[in-house]
Amino acid sequence: MTYRVIQWATGFVGQEAIKGIVQHPELELVGCWVHSDAKVGRDAGELAGIEPLGVLATNSLDEICALDADCVIYSPMLATDGEVMRLLESGKNVVTPVGWIYPDRANKRTLEIEAAAIKGNATLHGTGIHPGGITERFPLTLSALCRNIRHVRMEEFSDIRNYAAELIVREVMLFGKPPEVAAASPMLQVLSNGFLQSLHMVADALGFVLDEHTVTRHEMAVATRPIESPVGVIEAGTVAAQRFTWQGSVNGEPVITVRVNWLMDDGHLDPPWTFGEGGQRFEVAFDAEPPLAVTFHGLHPPVLGVDTEVGLTAPAMHCVNAVPFVCEAAPGIATYLDLPMITGRAPKA
Ligand SMILES: NC(=O)c1ccc[n+]([C@@H]2O[C@H](COP(=O)([O-])OP(=O)(O)OC[C@H]3O[C@@H](n4cnc5c(N)ncnc54)[C@H](OP(=O)(O)O)[C@@H]3O)[C@@H](O)[C@H]2O)c1
């Protein structure tokens, strides 16, 4: 069985996904959507930095919908509900790292998207890594080894100097701005849309009935001297580290904590935050019997600022490897709780 796949957008994730599709024994790339005009008509393989694949990029949603394909890996910078609904209605399954990990089924928009999927006899699956792996799929798998689970923590420690997107790092994430400016960052809201879905999936699967109020917290540290970064110098006194926390409680007692630590960790921060000896990593830790703790290494570039696309391989592959399972799923929205175990593949023979 070969599944015919379209790659939607060729940013970091899209390029890693194209490489993954080509190497997956059950997948074939048959289409490619691009945002930038300069990429229209170019070969998808070349856009991904590999050999030409004979698949030319288009920026037309209509052309993509008209293609004979089983699935779209949808990884634009900004997701658009209308695009996703059109893709689903055209009969394409959609796998994406930009949302829908555990959408609120009481939400009108969710119901409309689900209706579009059912109309097209297609399935939508949200995945990724954080959220979309570390924050719900892996802790839930690991939870099966524990009893009496009192608390579970999922936490990211990443050096933001691996992210060279100046516009996003400075103007959206507000690194290098005074703390009072960064305090108004839209990031807490943007991130909450994803991480709170993970938190609720974990709560529902483990059987925690959460208090109505979920804690969301945004903390910052400033540079104590100018810090060199790929987006320019971060001046002393401006934001060089941010920590976002989401916490669900039962009767006021925290039971689930999700945290993101983004540091420019050169040892000159106030407060003096540091990754410590563990370095860049993801952690999942249970207060349970046994007190299971797992640390994930290898998901960050090994050398700061070099081969930074390594950090996007895992979220891209989580999408790619999900394709065969999503194509076989019942129409609608399918979360990790609905799909069988998603696995990677041995190299193509
Ligand atoms: N859940 C997770 O764990 C996870 C992990 C990583 C990334 N993500 C998400 O995945 C998405 C893609 O990430 P990325 O690293 O590939 O980002 P990226 O390198 O910035 O690429 C995104 C692509 O989106 C297209 N684009 C640019 N402006 C656009 C606009 N105004 N409207 C629609 N598309 C536009 C461009 O496509 P072309 O280059 O084809 O023109 C661009 O390359 C992001 O939303 C990111 O937040 C999620």
Side-chain angles (χ1 to χ4, degrees):
M1 176 81 188
T2 299
Y3 298 96
R4 295 162 59 81
V5 183
I6 295 165
Q7 176 54 43
W8 184 285
T10 54
F12 287 117
V13 170
Q15 292 176 41
E16 290 301 294
I18 288 172
K19 293 178 208 165
I21 294 163
V22 168
Q23 290 178 26
H24 194 294
E26 292 159 48
L27 305 184
E28 178 191 0
L29 187 77
V30 297
C32 179
W33 180 93
V34 287
H35 176 261
S36 37
D37 291 341
K39 290 184 174 181
V40 173
R42 292 187 56 197
D43 188 279
E46 288 175 357
L47 290 175
I50 58 173
E51 71 282 4
L53 301 172
V55 175
L56 302 185
T58 174
N59 61 357
S60 162
L61 172 62
D62 289 336
E63 279 179 35
I64 292 291
C65 287
L67 278 178
D68 174 18
D70 299 295
C71 192
V72 177
I73 296 179
Y74 181 80
S75 63
M77 191 168 69
L78 301 168
T80 311
D81 290 353
E83 275 170 1
V84 171
M85 289 163 76
R86 280 281 310 277
L87 294 169
L88 291 166
E89 279 168 358
S90 79
K92 316 280 187 295
N93 299 287
V94 176
V95 178
T96 178
V98 298
W100 298 289
I101 286 164
Y102 193 56
D104 178 5
R105 287 217 153 77
N107 182 291
K108 185 168 167 271
R109 199 58 169 162
T110 304
L111 296 178
E112 287 167 359
I113 292 172
E114 193 155 42
I118 289 166
K119 186 174 169 193
N121 195 28
T123 307
L124 171 63
H125 174 60
T127 182
I129 175 169
H130 201 248
I134 304 288
T135 31
E136 61 310 274
R137 181 180 168 204
F138 302 127
L140 288 177
T141 300
L142 294 166
S143 72
L145 305 180
C146 298
R147 70 178 170 228
N148 197 11
I149 298 170
R150 294 172 292 269
H151 182 266
V152 55
R153 172 179 60 85
M154 294 75 89
E155 187 156 6
E156 171 182 349
F157 300 84
S158 296
D159 198 314
I160 216 66
R161 288 174 295 176
N162 278 317
Y163 195 25
E166 185 170 350
L167 186 70
I168 295 179
V169 172
R170 282 192 175 274
E171 303 307 324
V172 180
M173 299 163 87
L174 303 179
F175 280 87
K177 304 284 187 212
E180 60 277 14
V181 174
S185 164
M187 290 308 293
L188 184 64
Q189 183 58 45
V190 170
L191 296 173
S192 295
N193 288 341
F195 285 109
L196 286 176
Q197 291 187 36
S198 299
L199 188 144
H200 285 293
M201 179 188 281
V202 172
D204 289 351
L206 297 187
F208 287 123
V209 180
L210 296 181
D211 298 342
E212 199 172 330
H213 178 64
T214 307
V215 169
T216 60
R217 202 161 49 234
H218 181 195
E219 301 161 275
M220 284 168 267
V222 296
T224 56
R225 65 163 194 190
I227 296 178
E228 296 289 340
S229 91
V231 299
V233 173
I234 302 298
E235 299 295 348
T238 67
V239 172
Q242 303 190 55
R243 176 183 289 155
F244 300 88
T245 305
W246 298 267
Q247 203 160 53
S249 300
V250 175
N251 298 326
E253 194 63 40
V255 293
I256 305 171
T257 302
V258 178
R259 188 170 291 134
V260 176
N261 300 276
W262 288 336
L263 275 61
M264 295 192 175
D265 182 15
D266 80 335
H268 295 87
L269 296 174
D270 177 22
W273 294 349
T274 167
F275 294 139
E277 284 180 9
Q280 294 187 83
R281 64 199 185 275
F282 293 88
E283 292 181 349
V284 174
F286 290 88
D287 174 14
E289 294 143 23
L292 181 62
V294 174
T295 303
F296 297 76
H297 288 293
L299 297 170
H300 294 92
V303 179
L304 195 62
V306 179
D307 297 334
T308 51
E309 74 282 0
V310 167
L312 284 314
T313 307
M317 289 315 301
H318 215 180
C319 293
V320 171
N321 286 319
V323 168
F325 301 92
V326 174
C327 288
E328 297 304 323
I333 297 173
T335 75
Y336 298 124
L337 300 182
D338 307 304
L339 294 172
M341 182 180 286
I342 296 159
T343 63
R345 287 290 186 281
K348 243 177 184 171

